[in-house]
Amino acid sequence: MTDEENGEWNFASDNVAPVAPEIMAAIVESNSGSVSSYGSDPWSAKLTARLREVFETDLVAYPVATGTAANALALSVITPSYGSIICAQDAHINTDECGAPEFYTAGAKLIGLPSTDGKMSVDLLEKTIAQKRTEGLQTAQPHAVSITQSTEWGVVYDTAHITAISGIAAANDISLHMDGARFANGLVRLGCSPAEMTWKAGVDALSFGATKNGAMAAEMVIIFDRGRTGGLAARHKRAGHLWSKARFLSAQLIAYLENDLWLRNAATSNAMAQRLARGLSGIAGVHLIHPVQANQVFATMPQAAIDAITTARFRFAQWTRGPLGEGALLRFVTSYSTTQSAVDALISCTKAAMIANGTVAGIKFEAI
Amino acid sequence: MTDEENGEWNFASDNVAPVAPEIMAAIVESNSGSVSSYGSDPWSAKLTARLREVFETDLVAYPVATGTAANALALSVITPSYGSIICAQDAHINTDECGAPEFYTAGAKLIGLPSTDGKMSVDLLEKTIAQKRTEGLQTAQPHAVSITQSTEWGVVYDTAHITAISGIAAANDISLHMDGARFANGLVRLGCSPAEMTWKAGVDALSFGATKNGAMAAEMVIIFDRGRTGGLAARHKRAGHLWSKARFLSAQLIAYLENDLWLRNAATSNAMAQRLARGLSGIAGVHLIHPVQANQVFATMPQAAIDAITTARFRFAQWTRGPLGEGALLRFVTSYSTTQSAVDALISCTKAAMIANGTVAGIKFEAI
Amino acid sequence: MTDEENGEWNFASDNVAPVAPEIMAAIVESNSGSVSSYGSDPWSAKLTARLREVFETDLVAYPVATGTAANALALSVITPSYGSIICAQDAHINTDECGAPEFYTAGAKLIGLPSTDGKMSVDLLEKTIAQKRTEGLQTAQPHAVSITQSTEWGVVYDTAHITAISGIAAANDISLHMDGARFANGLVRLGCSPAEMTWKAGVDALSFGATKNGAMAAEMVIIFDRGRTGGLAARHKRAGHLWSKARFLSAQLIAYLENDLWLRNAATSNAMAQRLARGLSGIAGVHLIHPVQANQVFATMPQAAIDAITTARFRFAQWTRGPLGEGALLRFVTSYSTTQSAVDALISCTKAAMIANGTVAGIKFEAI
Amino acid sequence: MTDEENGEWNFASDNVAPVAPEIMAAIVESNSGSVSSYGSDPWSAKLTARLREVFETDLVAYPVATGTAANALALSVITPSYGSIICAQDAHINTDECGAPEFYTAGAKLIGLPSTDGKMSVDLLEKTIAQKRTEGLQTAQPHAVSITQSTEWGVVYDTAHITAISGIAAANDISLHMDGARFANGLVRLGCSPAEMTWKAGVDALSFGATKNGAMAAEMVIIFDRGRTGGLAARHKRAGHLWSKARFLSAQLIAYLENDLWLRNAATSNAMAQRLARGLSGIAGVHLIHPVQANQVFATMPQAAIDAITTARFRFAQWTRGPLGEGALLRFVTSYSTTQSAVDALISCTKAAMIANGTVAGIKFEAI
C-alpha cells in the first residue's frame, strides 16, 4: 500500500515521508486522560517555554497543522489588506498556496521578484521599494518582505544576506517574514543558532516548519516582537486553526525540539542530498541546476536516464511543463527518512543507464 | 499531569477527552513508509468511498482538523460575500467561532434568531426570510440557513423538523447547512440513517464532526450536491486546511466509521448524559434546564452543591456570567470516555452536599 | 416628470430633494478649465483648510459620494477584520447598508443593541463590552462603537450622552464612530459647536453627511486623530471612491460649509419637522411615535387618514411590514426644500380626513 | 486658479478636463423637484433603455462614479475569491488601482502578462492558461481575462483580436472583461458598433467609461449576460456606489449618449492626438514610443525640448522614474476639450527648442 510496499523509492517530496518515530511516540504518550482544551493544556505551556529557550528570546507562537496556514497567518499580522508583500517570484507563497496570503490579508498583493536560486537580491529589493514609494496611492504599498529559508530551490541564505534584507526593509518601515518550511535544513547548513538566523538577523515573523522534517502536521507562526502580534490569537482562531485537542499539536513540536531531533533529522536529509548531488554530478549528461545546500536536488538528465529511473520505480517530481525528457527539470527531495541505500541505488541506476546508453565515454565510468 | 492524575473528573467538554484507542491505533498503523501527499494517498481514497456508503449517495468531502474550519468552509460554499446566514442566536457559528464564517465568506452577515433549546422555529424562519425579502437591497439577503445537530443545548432536531426547515429554505432558494459537531450524538438519538438525517431531509452542506466523539482532530466538510461544490477544493487549500500528510486525517476518519465506532462512542456518551440527568433530576434544588437528548446536561444547583462538586474536583463549565452560585447555569458534557463511576460519583457528591446542607427536607433523601 | 410635476408632495426621505441652488451653482462655477486630478486641485485643498476651521482642530478628511461609503471606510480604519462593532440594533450600518461594514472590514461583526429611539444605552454598552471581554477568543472582540447623530428615529444625542459613551469605549480601548448622515440636523438641534459634538465628546471617526441636507452626492470620512488614519488614503482609493475630477466633490462641500448654508438648511428642515409634528399631534387618532428632534416624524394614524393623504398624493415611507393601515408606522422626512405650504397641506389633509371620518369628536376641531 | 488661468496647457491626463457643457447642462436641468431615490427615478429608467439601444442587446448596467469602482465591481462578478485574473502587466487594474480588484474579489490574484503596447498576446494567453491548469490546486486558477480598450499605451485592439482572446477564454470557461475607461476612443478608431466591439466579440463584462471623455464622474458596470450578474446589485450597494440621488449619475450618462456626444468628443480627442503625433514625429530627436491610435501620445525628447515645454508651462506626465531628461518617457493626453491651438503651440515650442538647441540640422526645419 505504501510506496516501499510497491517497490518504489520516493524522492518526490519530503512530505511523502512518515512521521518520525520519536514524534509518533510523543503523540501516543500524550493520549492519556482528559486535559483542558484549546491550548490550556500542559503540553502547550511547555512548548512555549521550550521555544523561548530555543530562540533565546521572548516570543509569541501559535501551532498550526500546515505551512500554508503558518505563512498566511504570519503575513496577515504584518500586512494590511491595502498593502503588498515583496517575495521571490518562485516563492511558495506566490506560486503554491492558491492565494492563501491574499485570502488571509483580505486582498494584499504579492510582488514577485526575479531571483537567483530563490534568493532575493538586496539591490533589486531596494529598487523595487523605491519604485513603489514613488507610485504612491496608485499601487498597494509594500508592508512586508518574505524570504524562504531554505529556498524553494534548495539554497540557503547566509545571515549576512538576511541582515541586509532586513536592513532595507526596516529602513522603509517594512516587516520581514521568513517562510521556514525547511527551517532546520537551513539552520543545520549554516551551523548558527536559531536566534542568529532569525530575530538577530532582523526577522519579525517566522513560519517554523516541522512537518517536512518528521512531524505529522505541525508548524508554528512565531512573532518575535510581542508588541506586534495584534490579532494573531483571534486570526488563528477564526481561521479554524486552533485545535480543541491542542495537546496533539504541541506534543509533536515538543518532541521535535527534544534531544535535537529536529537538527539530527535535518542533518540526515541534508547529508543525503549532498550524497545524491555528488553521485549525480559525476555522471556525464546529468546537470545539477542549483547549488545543493539543503535537502533538494534539481537536475536535468538524458532521456535514457529518466527512463531508467522511472522504470526502476524511483519517484521524483517534474518541475517543468512539457514532455518528461532531456530538457525537463527534475526535483529530488531527501528527508530524515531517506536511506543511504536508496540514494545509492538512484545514483547507480542513473549511471547504469548512461553507460548502457553508449553516449557516455567509457573512460569516465571505468573506475566504477 | 492529566486531569485524572490530578484527581479530577472532567465534565467541562467532550473535547477534553483523549483520542479513542481505535483511532490512535489507526494513526500509528498508517505511519509506515512513504505515500503521496496532499490527499493522493490510499487512505484518502478509501475514506471517500466509505463516506459514500455511509451516506448512501455521491458526495464531496474534505477533511479538516477543526469544526470551525468545517463550518466556515461549508458556509463559504453556499453563501456569497453579500449574503446572510440565518441561524439560532446561540449557534456556535454565531457565538463561538470568533467570526470565522464572516472571514471565510468575506463579510456575509449572520442573523441570529431566538430559539428554543437551540432549535430554530420553522415559523420564525419563514417570517424572517419574508421580512428580509421585502427589505431588498438594503440588507444582506439570506442565502443560507444553518442548524446544529445536536444543538448547543444538547437537544436533537427530529427529521420532520429538519425537513420543514429545508422546505422553507428551498422555497426561497436558500441552502441548508448542518453543523454536525455532535452529529453522531443526534443520529444515535434519532436512530435513523445518516442519509435520513441529512440530504434526505434537505441538508445541502454538512459539517461532520469526529473530534468531540473520539478523533484527535478530524472533521469533514461534506457537500451532497456535486454541482454545488464550486471552489471548495481551492477554498480548502488556500485556507491552509489541506494537510501534506493527509493520510493522518483520513486514517482517523476511516477508523471512526469502521465497525460503527462512531455510533458506539456516541451511544456511550448519550447514555452517560442520560444517567447523569436522571441522577441530578432526583435531587431537590437541582434543576435541569434543557431536555437531555444528546451528551450535554445543563443545570442550576444550590451554592452548597456547587461548592461540594468543585471541592471534590469535578470540572464543569459555567455557562453564564457572574458569580458561580445559585443562579449560575452549569454545563456538564459527557463523552465516549466518560465512565459510569465518574457519573455516579458526581451525582453522589451533589446529593450528599444537599443533605449535609440541611436546606433539603430530610424525607426526600431518606430513601437514598 | 418630478414628483411636483406629478402633483405629489414627497416626504418619503430627505434624499428625494434636489441639490440646493447654492451647491449646484458651485458645481457649475468650478467647471472651468483644467485642473490636476485625484484631489490635487485648489478646491480640495481649500476644503481641508475649511474643515479644520469648522472643527477647530487638525483632522484628516476624505470626500466620498455616499453615506454608506463614508460609514464603511470610517469603520474599516478603526475595526480590524477580527473585531466587532457595537451599534444600536436599528443603526443604518446594521440594517440598511447591505453589509458594507462587513465588506470593508473584511468580516468584522456588528453587534446590535436594543435602543430607545435609536440612542444607545450607556449601561447596556458597558455590560455588553464586559460580557464580550469574558468570552475571550470565542467571540469577535469589540473594537468600535458606532452611534448615529441624529438617530434613525429622528432623535438627538446630547453631548453628555456622547461623552458617556466615549468614556466607556475609551476605557476599553475601543474607538467611537459617529454616523453623521444627518449631522447638521443634530448640531442645529443642540446648538453647540461641531467640535463639541464630536472630538471634544470623544468621537474618533465621523461620517459627515451633506447629501441629505442639500448636496448632490457628498459626504466625508473624517478622522480626528492623525495618528490613527492608517491606511485610509489607500482604502479610499482601492474602494473606488477617489474621484479623478475631485474638484466636483470638494466644490459641493465648500459651498455646503460656506455662509452657514449647512446650518440654515438643517434649521429649515428641523423647523418643518417641528411644524409637522405639532400639526399632527393635535389630531385625534394620530400618534407620534418618537420625540421629534431633527427632521423625521414617525407616526401612526387611522386608516381614513392614511387613505386621504395617499389619495392626495402625499408620499411618505411605510416603516413596518404588512398592510398600510391603522397599525403601520409611517415616516415623514422633511428637508431643506420642504415648504411650509406642503407641511400645512399634509396636516390639513389629515385633519380633514379625520373630521370627515366622523370618528373624531367635533369639538376638538372647532377651533381650527 | 485653473491651469489656463495660470497660463498652463494641461496634457497630463484626460481627467484634468472640465465637464462637457452638454453634460453639465443635463445635470443642472435634472435638478428640479423631488424624485425617488436609489435609482427609482425617471432618468435611471431612461438610461437603461438607452443603453439597450446603444448596445443592441439586453444587458444589466450599474452606474458608478469612478473607473476603479467599475473595474473592481465587474471583476468581482466574474472572479471568485479563489480565482485569478489574467491581464497585461501594465493594465490599470494591475498597476494603478491600489489593489481594488483584490479588495472587491476578496483576494483573487492578478496575473500580469508582458504585452506589446498594452495588448495581450493571444498565444501567451493560451500558454498561460494551459500552464495554470497543470498547476491545479497549488495556484489560483484563472476565472477572468481583462483587456483594456483603448490600452494604457494608447493603442486599440481590433475586433478580431478581441474575438481571438474571448475564444481562448471561453474554451477554458473563463470570462472576458473589458476595461473601457477610454472605450469611446477605441470605438471611434475602429469605426465599428458598440456591440461589435463588445458582446459580439465575446466580452462578458464591460467597464464603460465616460469621465475621461467629458462626464463629471460617471462610468458603468455593464454585464451582457443577464444570467451572470449574480450579486452585482448587492455588491454595488454594499460597496457604497449606489447614490441616493441617482438621477445625477444617470443624467450625465444620458447626455453623454445623446446626439452622439460621446463619439464626437472621442473623435475630437483622437484627432488632437493624431495632430500632436504628426507634429512631434517631424521633429528630429523626438521619438514616439507607441502607435498613436486613441488619445495618448508617448514620446521621448531631448533635454532642451523638455526644458522648453516645461518652461512654457505645458503640463504632461513623466511615465518613468528618474531624472526628467533625455531618457524619460513622457505622456501627453488629449481630451474632448483639447484645442488645436494648444496642440500646435506644444509642437511649435518643441520645434523651436530643437532649432535653438543647434543639435538639429537646419535643413530639416526649413520647409516648415
Side-chain angles (χ1 to χ4, degrees):
Chain A
M1 204 164 181
T2 63
D3 300 328
E4 290 76 3
E5 290 164 8
N6 287 333
E8 297 181 4
W9 306 89
N10 200 327
F11 289 90
S13 181
D14 31 13
N15 58 31
V16 304
V19 179
E22 298 88 338
I23 292 175
M24 187 56 90
I27 291 173
V28 171
E29 196 193 4
S30 67
N31 193 39
S32 69
S34 302
V35 300
S36 286
S37 43
Y38 297 117
S40 303
D41 61 274
W43 288 267
S44 297
K46 183 176 172 186
L47 172 61
T48 302
R50 184 77 188 92
L51 282 170
R52 289 178 183 154
E53 284 170 23
V54 167
F55 282 95
E56 305 170 57
T57 186
D58 196 14
L59 51 74
V60 172
Y62 286 85
V64 293
T66 71
T68 294
N71 283 336
L73 278 168
L75 291 168
S76 75
V77 168
I78 60 177
T79 320
S81 59
Y82 51 84
S84 58
I85 300 160
I86 302 178
C87 59
Q89 216 160 41
D90 298 334
H92 197 266
I93 58 167
N94 195 34
T95 62
D96 288 279
E97 300 187 344
C98 199
E102 289 88 343
F103 171 41
Y104 275 74
T105 58
K109 207 176 175 83
L110 271 67
I111 301 172
L113 304 184
S115 77
T116 305
D117 306 324
K119 289 200 292 188
M120 186 181 287
S121 147
V122 175
D123 186 53
L124 184 54
L125 172 63
E126 188 161 27
K127 286 203 176 97
T128 302
I129 297 172
Q131 169 67 27
K132 290 289 165 189
R133 290 300 188 234
T134 68
E135 293 171 12
L137 269 190
Q138 302 301 108
T139 200
Q141 287 297 318
H143 281 75
V145 170
S146 179
I147 58 175
T148 309
Q149 177 79 319
S150 57
T151 75
E152 288 77 6
W153 298 109
V155 167
V156 177
Y157 284 92
D158 59 34
T159 56
H161 194 158
I162 300 170
T163 303
I165 287 172
S166 72
I168 302 293
N172 287 280
D173 203 18
I174 289 173
S175 300
L176 180 58
H177 167 251
M178 177 181 280
D179 174 354
R182 295 186 180 93
F183 184 85
N185 301 91
L187 190 67
V188 163
R189 166 78 184 192
L190 293 186
C192 68
S193 74
E196 284 164 351
M197 201 169 85
T198 56
W199 62 273
K200 286 187 176 172
V203 172
D204 299 294
L206 170 67
S207 301
F208 179 87
T211 311
K212 291 181 195 293
N213 195 29
M216 173 187 288
E219 320 270 315
M220 276 181 296
V221 189
I222 296 179
I223 307 286
F224 291 108
D225 180 348
R226 291 184 65 83
R228 297 184 58 202
T229 55
L232 181 52
R235 291 178 190 276
H236 179 247
K237 166 74 183 170
R238 78 198 301 246
H241 290 294
L242 176 56
W243 286 23
S244 55
K245 299 184 178 175
R247 59 172 136 168
F248 297 107
L249 264 180
S250 298
Q252 291 180 60
L253 291 159
I254 292 170
Y256 183 67
L257 296 169
E258 202 99 318
N259 301 322
D260 290 340
L261 175 64
W262 62 313
L263 302 177
R264 287 182 286 119
N265 277 1
T268 300
S269 67
N270 281 10
M272 289 302 106
Q274 283 301 324
R275 187 177 186 93
L276 177 58
R278 269 197 314 275
L280 292 180
S281 67
I283 306 175
V286 175
H287 302 287
L288 298 188
I289 303 304
H290 297 281
V292 176
Q293 299 177 351
N295 67 325
Q296 301 192 79
V297 177
F298 291 89
T300 59
M301 48 179 74
Q303 186 74 51
I306 295 175
D307 291 347
I309 62 174
T310 302
T311 305
R313 311 197 73 151
F314 289 97
R315 294 182 61 190
F316 51 89
Q318 182 181 352
W319 226 235
T320 39
R321 247 187 108 222
L324 179 54
E326 186 85 32
L329 180 60
L330 312 183
R331 185 181 79 151
F332 302 88
V333 191
T334 56
S335 82
Y336 80 94
S337 72
T338 304
T339 59
Q340 204 166 298
S341 59
V343 169
D344 292 348
L346 174 55
I347 296 168
S348 300
C349 179
T350 312
K351 254 185 212 164
M354 295 315 294
I355 293 169
N357 190 244
T359 61
V360 180
I363 296 165
K364 189 172 177 70
F365 289 101
E366 273 171 2
I368 302 173
Chain B
M1 204 163 178
T2 62
D3 300 329
E4 289 77 3
E5 290 164 8
N6 286 332
E8 298 181 4
W9 307 89
N10 200 329
F11 289 89
S13 181
D14 30 14
N15 58 31
V16 303
V19 180
E22 298 89 339
I23 292 175
M24 186 56 89
I27 291 173
V28 170
E29 196 193 2
S30 66
N31 193 40
S32 68
S34 302
V35 299
S36 287
S37 43
Y38 296 118
S40 303
D41 61 273
W43 288 267
S44 297
K46 183 176 173 186
L47 173 59
T48 303
R50 185 77 187 91
L51 281 169
R52 289 178 183 155
E53 284 170 23
V54 168
F55 281 95
E56 304 170 57
T57 187
D58 196 14
L59 51 76
V60 172
Y62 285 84
V64 293
T66 71
T68 294
N71 283 336
L73 278 169
L75 291 168
S76 76
V77 168
I78 59 176
T79 320
S81 59
Y82 51 84
S84 58
I85 300 160
I86 302 178
C87 60
Q89 214 161 43
D90 297 335
H92 198 266
I93 59 167
N94 195 34
T95 61
D96 287 279
E97 300 187 344
C98 199
E102 289 89 343
F103 172 39
Y104 275 72
T105 58
K109 207 175 174 83
L110 272 67
I111 302 171
L113 305 185
S115 76
T116 306
D117 305 325
K119 289 200 291 186
M120 187 180 288
S121 146
V122 176
D123 187 53
L124 185 52
L125 171 63
E126 187 161 27
K127 287 205 175 95
T128 302
I129 296 172
Q131 168 67 28
K132 289 290 166 188
R133 291 299 188 235
T134 67
E135 292 171 12
L137 269 190
Q138 303 301 109
T139 199
Q141 287 297 319
H143 281 75
V145 170
S146 179
I147 58 175
T148 308
Q149 177 79 320
S150 58
T151 76
E152 289 77 5
W153 298 110
V155 167
V156 178
Y157 284 94
D158 58 36
T159 56
H161 194 159
I162 299 171
T163 303
I165 286 174
S166 73
I168 302 292
N172 286 280
D173 202 18
I174 289 173
S175 300
L176 179 60
H177 168 251
M178 176 181 280
D179 175 354
R182 295 187 180 92
F183 184 86
N185 302 91
L187 189 68
V188 162
R189 167 77 185 193
L190 293 187
C192 66
S193 74
E196 285 164 350
M197 201 168 85
T198 56
W199 61 273
K200 287 187 177 173
V203 172
D204 298 294
L206 171 66
S207 301
F208 179 88
T211 310
K212 291 182 195 292
N213 195 30
M216 174 188 288
E219 320 269 315
M220 276 182 296
V221 189
I222 295 178
I223 307 286
F224 292 108
D225 179 351
R226 290 183 65 83
R228 296 183 60 201
T229 55
L232 181 53
R235 291 178 190 278
H236 178 247
K237 166 73 184 171
R238 81 198 300 245
H241 290 295
L242 176 57
W243 285 25
S244 56
K245 300 184 178 176
R247 58 173 137 171
F248 297 107
L249 264 181
S250 298
Q252 291 180 61
L253 290 160
I254 293 170
Y256 184 66
L257 295 170
E258 203 99 318
N259 301 321
D260 290 341
L261 175 64
W262 62 312
L263 302 177
R264 288 183 285 119
N265 277 1
T268 300
S269 68
N270 281 10
M272 289 302 106
Q274 284 300 325
R275 187 177 186 93
L276 178 57
R278 271 197 314 274
L280 292 180
S281 67
I283 306 174
V286 175
H287 302 287
L288 298 188
I289 303 304
H290 297 281
V292 176
Q293 300 177 349
N295 67 325
Q296 301 191 79
V297 177
F298 292 88
T300 60
M301 48 180 73
Q303 186 73 52
I306 295 174
D307 291 346
I309 62 175
T310 302
T311 305
R313 311 196 73 151
F314 290 97
R315 295 181 61 190
F316 51 89
Q318 181 181 354
W319 226 234
T320 40
R321 247 186 108 221
L324 179 54
E326 186 84 32
L329 179 60
L330 311 184
R331 184 181 80 150
F332 301 88
V333 191
T334 56
S335 81
Y336 81 94
S337 71
T338 303
T339 58
Q340 204 166 300
S341 59
V343 170
D344 291 349
L346 175 55
I347 296 168
S348 300
C349 180
T350 312
K351 252 183 215 164
M354 295 315 294
I355 293 170
N357 191 247
T359 61
V360 181
I363 296 166
K364 188 172 175 72
F365 290 100
E366 275 171 2
I368 303 176
Chain C
M1 204 162 180
T2 63
D3 299 330
E4 289 76 3
E5 289 163 9
N6 286 334
E8 298 182 4
W9 307 89
N10 200 327
F11 288 90
S13 182
D14 30 14
N15 58 31
V16 303
V19 179
E22 299 88 339
I23 292 174
M24 186 57 89
I27 291 172
V28 171
E29 195 191 5
S30 67
N31 193 39
S32 67
S34 302
V35 300
S36 287
S37 43
Y38 296 118
S40 303
D41 61 273
W43 287 268
S44 297
K46 184 176 172 186
L47 173 60
T48 303
R50 185 76 189 93
L51 281 170
R52 289 178 182 152
E53 285 170 22
V54 167
F55 281 95
E56 304 169 57
T57 187
D58 196 15
L59 51 75
V60 172
Y62 286 84
V64 292
T66 71
T68 295
N71 283 337
L73 278 168
L75 291 168
S76 75
V77 168
I78 59 178
T79 320
S81 58
Y82 51 84
S84 58
I85 300 161
I86 302 177
C87 60
Q89 217 162 39
D90 297 334
H92 197 265
I93 58 168
N94 195 33
T95 62
D96 287 280
E97 300 188 343
C98 199
E102 288 88 344
F103 172 39
Y104 275 74
T105 58
K109 208 177 174 82
L110 271 66
I111 302 171
L113 305 185
S115 76
T116 306
D117 305 324
K119 289 199 292 186
M120 185 180 287
S121 145
V122 175
D123 187 53
L124 185 53
L125 171 64
E126 188 161 26
K127 286 203 176 98
T128 302
I129 296 172
Q131 170 66 28
K132 291 289 165 187
R133 290 301 188 234
T134 67
E135 293 171 12
L137 269 190
Q138 303 300 108
T139 199
Q141 286 297 318
H143 281 76
V145 170
S146 179
I147 58 175
T148 308
Q149 178 78 320
S150 58
T151 75
E152 289 77 7
W153 299 109
V155 167
V156 178
Y157 283 94
D158 59 35
T159 56
H161 194 159
I162 300 170
T163 303
I165 287 173
S166 73
I168 302 292
N172 286 280
D173 204 18
I174 289 173
S175 300
L176 180 59
H177 167 251
M178 177 181 280
D179 175 354
R182 295 187 179 92
F183 185 85
N185 302 92
L187 190 67
V188 162
R189 167 76 184 194
L190 293 187
C192 67
S193 73
E196 285 164 351
M197 202 168 86
T198 57
W199 62 273
K200 286 188 177 172
V203 172
D204 298 295
L206 170 66
S207 301
F208 179 88
T211 311
K212 291 182 195 293
N213 194 30
M216 173 188 288
E219 321 269 316
M220 276 181 296
V221 189
I222 295 177
I223 307 286
F224 291 108
D225 179 349
R226 291 185 64 84
R228 297 185 58 203
T229 54
L232 180 53
R235 290 179 190 277
H236 179 246
K237 166 75 183 170
R238 79 197 301 246
H241 290 295
L242 176 56
W243 285 24
S244 55
K245 300 184 178 175
R247 58 172 136 171
F248 297 107
L249 265 180
S250 298
Q252 291 179 61
L253 291 158
I254 293 170
Y256 183 67
L257 295 170
E258 203 99 318
N259 301 320
D260 290 342
L261 175 64
W262 63 313
L263 303 178
R264 287 183 286 120
N265 277 1
T268 300
S269 68
N270 282 10
M272 289 302 108
Q274 283 301 325
R275 187 177 186 94
L276 178 58
R278 269 198 314 274
L280 292 179
S281 68
I283 306 174
V286 175
H287 302 288
L288 298 188
I289 303 304
H290 297 281
V292 176
Q293 299 177 350
N295 67 325
Q296 301 191 80
V297 177
F298 292 88
T300 59
M301 47 180 75
Q303 186 74 51
I306 295 174
D307 291 347
I309 62 175
T310 303
T311 305
R313 312 197 70 152
F314 289 96
R315 296 180 60 190
F316 50 89
Q318 181 182 352
W319 225 234
T320 39
R321 248 186 108 221
L324 178 55
E326 186 84 31
L329 180 61
L330 312 183
R331 185 181 78 151
F332 301 87
V333 191
T334 56
S335 81
Y336 81 93
S337 72
T338 303
T339 59
Q340 206 165 299
S341 59
V343 170
D344 291 350
L346 174 56
I347 297 167
S348 300
C349 180
T350 312
K351 251 184 217 166
M354 297 314 295
I355 292 170
N357 192 245
T359 62
V360 181
I363 295 164
K364 189 174 176 63
F365 289 101
E366 271 171 3
I368 300 175
Chain D
M1 205 163 178
T2 63
D3 301 329
E4 289 77 3
E5 290 164 8
N6 286 333
E8 298 181 5
W9 307 89
N10 199 329
F11 288 89
S13 182
D14 31 12
N15 59 31
V16 303
V19 179
E22 298 88 341
I23 292 174
M24 187 56 90
I27 291 173
V28 171
E29 197 192 3
S30 68
N31 193 39
S32 67
S34 302
V35 299
S36 285
S37 43
Y38 296 118
S40 304
D41 60 273
W43 288 268
S44 297
K46 184 175 172 187
L47 172 60
T48 304
R50 185 76 189 92
L51 282 170
R52 289 177 183 155
E53 284 170 22
V54 168
F55 281 95
E56 305 170 57
T57 187
D58 196 14
L59 51 75
V60 172
Y62 285 84
V64 293
T66 71
T68 295
N71 283 336
L73 279 168
L75 291 168
S76 75
V77 168
I78 59 177
T79 320
S81 59
Y82 50 83
S84 58
I85 299 161
I86 302 178
C87 60
Q89 215 162 41
D90 296 335
H92 197 265
I93 59 168
N94 195 33
T95 63
D96 287 278
E97 298 187 344
C98 200
E102 289 89 343
F103 172 40
Y104 275 74
T105 58
K109 208 177 174 82
L110 270 68
I111 302 172
L113 304 185
S115 75
T116 306
D117 305 325
K119 289 199 291 187
M120 186 181 287
S121 146
V122 175
D123 187 54
L124 185 53
L125 172 63
E126 187 161 27
K127 286 202 176 99
T128 302
I129 296 172
Q131 168 67 27
K132 290 290 164 187
R133 291 300 188 233
T134 68
E135 293 170 13
L137 267 190
Q138 302 300 108
T139 199
Q141 287 297 318
H143 281 76
V145 170
S146 179
I147 58 175
T148 309
Q149 177 79 320
S150 58
T151 75
E152 288 78 5
W153 298 109
V155 168
V156 177
Y157 284 93
D158 58 35
T159 55
H161 195 159
I162 300 170
T163 303
I165 288 173
S166 72
I168 302 294
N172 287 280
D173 203 17
I174 288 173
S175 301
L176 179 59
H177 167 251
M178 177 181 280
D179 174 354
R182 294 186 180 94
F183 184 85
N185 301 93
L187 190 67
V188 162
R189 167 78 185 191
L190 293 187
C192 66
S193 73
E196 284 164 350
M197 201 168 86
T198 56
W199 62 273
K200 287 187 177 172
V203 172
D204 298 296
L206 170 67
S207 301
F208 179 87
T211 310
K212 290 181 194 295
N213 195 30
M216 175 187 287
E219 320 269 316
M220 276 181 297
V221 190
I222 295 178
I223 307 286
F224 292 108
D225 179 350
R226 291 185 64 83
R228 296 183 59 201
T229 54
L232 180 53
R235 290 178 190 278
H236 179 247
K237 166 74 183 172
R238 81 199 298 247
H241 290 295
L242 176 57
W243 285 24
S244 55
K245 299 184 178 176
R247 58 172 137 171
F248 296 107
L249 265 180
S250 298
Q252 291 180 61
L253 290 159
I254 293 170
Y256 184 66
L257 295 170
E258 201 99 319
N259 301 320
D260 290 341
L261 175 64
W262 62 314
L263 303 177
R264 287 183 287 119
N265 277 2
T268 299
S269 69
N270 281 10
M272 289 302 106
Q274 284 301 325
R275 186 178 186 92
L276 178 58
R278 270 197 314 275
L280 292 179
S281 67
I283 306 174
V286 175
H287 302 288
L288 298 188
I289 303 305
H290 296 282
V292 176
Q293 299 178 349
N295 67 324
Q296 300 191 80
V297 178
F298 292 88
T300 60
M301 48 179 74
Q303 185 74 53
I306 295 174
D307 291 347
I309 62 175
T310 304
T311 306
R313 313 196 72 152
F314 289 97
R315 295 181 61 190
F316 51 89
Q318 181 182 352
W319 225 234
T320 40
R321 247 185 107 223
L324 178 55
E326 187 83 32
L329 179 60
L330 312 183
R331 185 180 80 151
F332 301 88
V333 190
T334 55
S335 81
Y336 80 93
S337 73
T338 303
T339 58
Q340 204 167 299
S341 59
V343 170
D344 291 349
L346 174 55
I347 297 168
S348 300
C349 179
T350 313
K351 254 183 213 164
M354 296 314 295
I355 293 170
N357 192 245
T359 62
V360 181
I363 295 165
K364 187 172 178 69
F365 290 101
E366 273 172 4
I368 302 175

